[in-house]
Amino acid sequence: MVHNNSISLFNISKNYPVKQQVSFFNFSITKILTGNLSILDKARIRLLYYGSLLAIVGVGALFLNVYLQGLQVMTTTSLLVLVSIIALFKYLTFKPQWRTISHLLLVIGTLLNLATVFIILQKVDIVTIQIIILIIVFSFYMLGQSWGMFYSLLNLLAVLVFMIITYDHNYFVDFKPERPDDSTTIIAIFANFILIIFIHSHFYTAFLKNIKQLKDTGEEQTALNIKFEKAIEKAEKSSQAQSEFLSTMSHEIRTPLNAVIGMSNLLLMNSPRPDQSENLEILKFSANNLLAIVNDVLDFNKIESGKIVFEKIKFNLVDLMQNICGGQILKAEEKGLLFKLDVDTTLRRKLVFGDPTRLTQIIFNLVSNAIKFTAEGSVWVRVTCLEDRHNNITVGFSVKDTGIGIKQENLNTIFEPFTQESITTTRQYGGTGLGLAIVKRLLELQGLKMYISSKVNKGSEFSFNMEFAVATGDVMPTESAAAKSAPPSALAAGTKQQFINKEEDNPMSGLRMLIAEDNPVNVMLMKKLLSKWNITPTIAENGERAVEILQYGNFDIILMDLQMPVMNGFEAAMEIRRMTDPAKANVPIIALTASALFDIRDKVTGAGMDDYVAKPFKPDELIEKIQNLIPTVRY
Ligand code: ADP
């Protein structure tokens, strides 16, 4: 059994030869204690060195003693042992391979033990017991548990066998046992005791040193841990500060953007002159672009900090794809590209569960890129039902273009945040290099993979497969009904918008709405927008005013800005929910927020509000949320 952990108490590391070459005539221990040796290995080498010297003295004395008594076999044996120990000692000072030397010494010891018991003396006496103890102690300390057990049992069992044989039988070998006098026994006992004491004291010191080293290492580790904890705390604080900074920045940027986009929308609705309309379109386009960049940065931050939660909402894939591609078709046509949207017809009558907002984000990014990086030819979006297992389906999404393509070696790097294929891309096409990073992370978080194939100047294809649970028994009856249940999308436009613009059909007409908003530009924008739907809202300039106004009037819905002076939206909502009149306490509240706080949904619902819309909000999204909360406002 070999452990290589250098701080383990029972460390038996490998028998590394010392790297530095030592001369054959070396006798110094310091020269063989160099190299990368642990405390215990050094102790082992020292034990062999000094132990051998002690053994040489002991066995030498024994040799003289038996020689003088004329005991031939014992003289030869002790001489052999003496020469072997001297040879091993020399080998040790040349190459300190303590493991090999220990094995050789143990083999010699075992042979000596067996020879004395079975042949030379043919008896077991106190010296035999001492030799066995010596072998046990030496083998365990030097070679560890397995070898320790092996040599100990070998010697013990052999002696035991001898004792059993001689218990009530005559033991006979063709050799007359030698009988040394008491002086030999005294020398042997004395030498053995000295060796046992030496081995123990030596290892005790080594263990103590090792324990001290362990303690020191432990203390160092504790100090390091404290340093690490501090560093982690610092990093967490700075990441939190970064998130807060982004959130504040987003609020600061989105608020004026809200006004710019809203104003241009309103002006465009008022039939401007063609030249004004063109300028307004540019204004709107740039503001939307800026908003997209702000949103990308925020989204990426949100994804990276792992704060993203995927929804499971019922929706129709065909409608969603049409909504996403609706606006993109125009963009493609403006560039003279052919835009094809192929959605598997089997998906038309199915409602699936998933996160339409995130799916929109993925497809929208891919399609925008396809149009952006294609000068001529076509963009082809395909949605195929790959597998239909009754209550769940696997759908393949693919966005293919005939654009500039991507070099093979850049296929991985373009998914890195803030990375574009080349500096020319940045100059020619703009962008932040975040789109694909967001797409990749959004897929990865759902356990999905993006596949990409591309050829320079030929085009690219981005594809992925996604599984959806199917709402069974909830089949969509007609197309127009299906359109209503589709979620708002980033590009929501079309049928619903046109429908609402017809005032006479508008079920929101006359809705009693209270708006708590402190920013006069936003108030003006909302008033103008709502006037299109025949709604005249009551305005409260802060949360406290909103609570007051609600006490004296009745409202169908409240739109609550969150950041307001005097009393903010959260506090105001909580006040309202505490009102005694249930009609007032339960009035639906939609939060209006320009902040992109990660846990905004939890905070909003925590304060008793029903839903929220992010500013600058899309008219469609607001209508959708109002409809969800007030059943009478349904088409
Ligand atoms: P951005 O579009 O803001 O540059 P993305 O992360 O969406 O950032 O894309 C990263 C880069 O990948 C792009 O700058 C472009 O070099 C390359 N790329 C992405 N989609 C395509 C495509 N359809 N055709 C060619 N190159 C593409």
Side-chain angles (χ1 to χ4, degrees), residues 95-393:
K95 278 191 180 155
Q97 293 177 342
W98 54 264
R99 183 175 285 274
T100 320
I101 296 169
S102 304
H103 274 296
L104 289 172
L105 280 173
L106 282 162
V107 170
I108 294 169
T110 306
L111 288 176
L112 176 70
N113 186 30
L114 300 187
T116 352
V117 171
F118 282 91
I119 302 164
I120 305 172
L121 299 180
Q122 293 174 25
K123 65 169 185 170
V124 172
D125 60 9
I126 184 162
V127 180
T128 322
I129 306 297
Q130 271 189 320
I131 290 176
I132 293 175
I133 292 175
L134 203 58
I135 285 174
I136 294 174
V137 171
F138 184 78
S139 61
F140 269 91
Y141 282 170
M142 292 303 289
L143 298 172
Q145 200 176 24
S146 307
W147 282 114
M149 277 301 226
F150 171 76
Y151 285 111
S152 305
L153 288 180
L154 185 67
N155 282 277
L156 256 178
L157 290 178
V159 172
L160 200 66
V161 167
F162 176 83
M163 285 162 84
I164 292 170
I165 295 172
T166 53
Y167 183 66
D168 51 4
H169 290 90
N170 275 337
Y171 176 78
F172 179 77
V173 278
D174 195 9
F175 175 78
K176 189 173 173 292
E178 287 187 340
R179 289 281 170 252
D181 64 20
D182 280 355
S183 65
T184 316
T185 318
I186 291 169
I187 292 172
I189 290 176
F190 192 67
N192 282 340
F193 268 141
I194 287 193
L195 268 175
I196 292 171
I197 292 169
F198 170 73
I199 294 174
H200 269 304
S201 80
H202 192 83
F203 259 86
Y204 180 71
T205 322
F207 280 154
L208 276 191
K209 267 193 197 163
N210 214 339
I211 287 168
K212 193 177 167 306
Q213 197 190 39
L214 271 177
K215 210 174 136 232
D216 291 348
T217 322
E219 276 165 10
E220 266 169 37
Q221 229 146 20
T222 318
L224 256 169
N225 280 349
I226 292 172
K227 265 190 193 168
F228 278 144
E229 268 165 27
K230 277 191 184 153
I232 290 170
E233 208 177 296
K234 215 171 148 188
E236 271 170 3
K237 266 191 194 153
S238 100
S239 125
Q240 204 180 336
Q242 188 196 346
S243 297
E244 274 163 20
F245 170 75
L246 272 170
S247 159
T248 319
M249 277 302 288
S250 85
H251 180 252
E252 297 305 318
I253 296 170
R254 278 163 178 243
T255 307
L257 263 184
N258 180 22
V260 175
I261 295 170
M263 272 299 175
S264 17
N265 269 335
L266 280 174
L267 290 172
L268 278 166
M269 279 172 173
N270 288 341
S271 350
R273 290 195 316 264
D275 60 318
Q276 287 174 327
S277 155
E278 200 175 305
N279 290 345
L280 283 171
E281 285 295 350
I282 294 172
L283 183 67
K284 194 176 145 190
F285 175 81
S286 311
N288 272 326
N289 244 1
L290 185 55
L291 187 64
I293 293 175
V294 173
N295 285 343
D296 265 3
V297 173
L298 287 169
D299 259 330
F300 187 71
N301 186 47
K302 196 169 169 180
I303 294 170
E304 284 298 274
S305 54
K307 299 261 169 69
I308 214 153
V309 184
F310 289 91
E311 290 186 308
K312 278 244 174 296
I313 299 175
K314 219 191 282 183
F315 67 99
N316 178 262
L317 268 168
V318 180
D319 287 320
L320 184 78
M321 290 307 295
Q322 276 170 353
N323 270 343
I324 302 170
C325 296
Q328 302 286 57
I329 291 173
L330 295 177
K331 272 199 219 163
E333 276 173 0
E334 273 169 24
K335 285 186 83 177
L337 303 174
L338 180 72
F339 192 103
K340 268 204 286 179
L341 170 63
D342 279 348
V343 187
D344 209 320
T345 45
T346 54
L347 295 170
R348 175 152 294 285
R349 285 168 59 78
K350 278 190 178 20
L351 282 177
V352 296
F353 286 100
D355 192 330
T357 318
R358 298 297 164 199
L359 185 59
T360 300
Q361 211 172 353
I362 296 171
I363 305 278
F364 182 78
N365 267 309
L366 296 179
V367 176
S368 302
N369 276 348
I371 298 173
K372 186 157 95 171
F373 295 108
T374 307
E376 55 185 35
S378 58
V379 170
W380 188 17
V381 182
R382 253 179 317 163
V383 181
T384 334
C385 182
L386 299 176
E387 223 178 309
D388 190 344
R389 291 171 298 272
H390 184 58
N391 51 4
N392 77 341
I393 50 171

Side-chain angles (χ1 to χ4, degrees), residues 369 372-373 401 406 414 419-421 425 431-433 435-436 460:
N369 276 348
K372 186 157 95 171
F373 295 108
D401 63 58
I406 304 154
I414 54 165
T419 310
Q420 300 187 306
E421 207 198 345
T425 319
T432 52
L436 287 183
S460 320

